[in-house]
Amino acid sequence: MTMLHSVRSALQKRAAYQRTKNEIRAMSLDVALDLGIFREDASKIAAKAIYG
């Protein structure tokens, strides 16, 4: 794996993390509660979804 590939992969994961976090935070309260998600936990949920 080249260094460029590693950097690109890290940037793609970071972008996916930000998108996921923003989507969770933007979710309506009704939908979030139906899914059992607390919007305040968006960072933790996004990190687990993207980074494992």
Side-chain angles (χ1 to χ4, degrees), residues 10-22 46 50-51:
L11 289 173
Q12 289 172 339
K13 282 185 178 183
R14 181 67 179 171
Y17 165 77
Q18 287 294 337
R19 270 193 315 273
T20 304
K21 184 174 71 167
N22 291 338
I50 302 303
Y51 300 112

Side-chain angles (χ1 to χ4, degrees), residues 2 6 8 12 15-16 18 25 28 30 33 37 39 45 50:
T2 66
S6 296
R8 182 177 292 149
Q12 289 172 339
Q18 287 294 337
R25 286 184 177 168
S28 71
D30 294 343
L33 291 176
I37 293 174
R39 292 181 294 181
I45 294 167
I50 302 303

Side-chain angles (χ1 to χ4, degrees), residues 35-51:
L35 295 173
I37 293 174
F38 297 100
R39 292 181 294 181
E40 293 80 15
D41 293 337
S43 296
K44 183 170 50 171
I45 294 167
K48 184 167 181 149
I50 302 303
Y51 300 112

Side-chain angles (χ1 to χ4, degrees), residues 1-12:
M1 183 182 284
T2 66
M3 184 173 164
L4 181 59
H5 187 271
S6 296
V7 170
R8 182 177 292 149
S9 176
L11 289 173
Q12 289 172 339

